[in-house]
Amino acid sequence: MKWGVLLLLAAPAMAEDLVFDIDATTACLAAQESEHAKLLCVGRAATACMDMSAGGTTTVGMGGCLAAELEWWDAELNLAYQSLIADAKKVEADAEEFGYRTPPMVDPIREMQRAWIGYRDGLCDFERAKWGGGTGGGPATAACMMQETARQTLVLQRGTGLE
């Protein structure tokens, strides 16, 4: 994550000024049923942070708010991934125990996740490149990482409960 280093160097001076609360995103998510509608909730907490924080509309402020929501989505992604792997292992173990055939699930999930990481990183590097080295590249990259991490979290959550 090339942008993370720059953000971490710039953010400590502003970190105490940011007002971040994930409730705007989680409340929106709880009110939605479809994955598409949930995607429209992504960034709500970051936007509220930018609106409520002194300096929230500066490049550093935007980056800090976006990074805070990205961190939440990343934790959610990791929980969903671990849950999906556990579900897949149980399905595979049940198949072996009861003697029926099922396609392997754990390895394809891991392969999918690894491929997604490469895709996300390439996509977000492209988003940064669009800014031609300008200061907007940091927040653009953070927004991309947040959006794509949220999207993948929802994909993984959809796959849990395989039994």
Side-chain angles (χ1 to χ4, degrees), residues 121-161:
D121 290 351
L123 178 65
C124 295
D125 284 348
F126 175 62
E127 286 300 315
R128 177 185 268 300
K130 289 186 208 177
W131 287 83
T135 58
T141 304
C144 177
M145 295 289 284
M146 178 188 64
Q147 187 70 38
E148 293 307 312
T149 301
R151 185 183 319 277
Q152 184 68 0
T153 299
L154 295 173
V155 166
L156 296 177
Q157 287 173 342
R158 182 178 358 115
T160 59

Side-chain angles (χ1 to χ4, degrees), residues 46-115:
T47 299
C49 173
M50 288 179 229
D51 291 343
M52 297 183 328
S53 300
T57 57
T58 66
T59 303
V60 173
M62 288 186 289
C65 291
L66 291 162
E69 187 165 340
L70 168 59
E71 184 177 328
W72 182 82
W73 279 110
D74 191 55
E76 290 296 302
L77 179 132
N78 288 322
L79 288 172
Y81 178 79
Q82 293 304 322
S83 179
L84 186 57
I85 290 290
D87 290 349
K89 284 180 178 179
K90 182 161 182 7
V91 168
E92 288 181 356
D94 287 350
E96 186 174 327
E97 179 181 345
F98 297 110
Y100 62 88
R101 302 199 69 161
T102 183
M105 299 177 90
V106 173
D107 287 343
I109 293 168
R110 285 187 180 130
E111 290 170 19
M112 173 202 49
Q113 192 65 7
R114 287 181 187 129

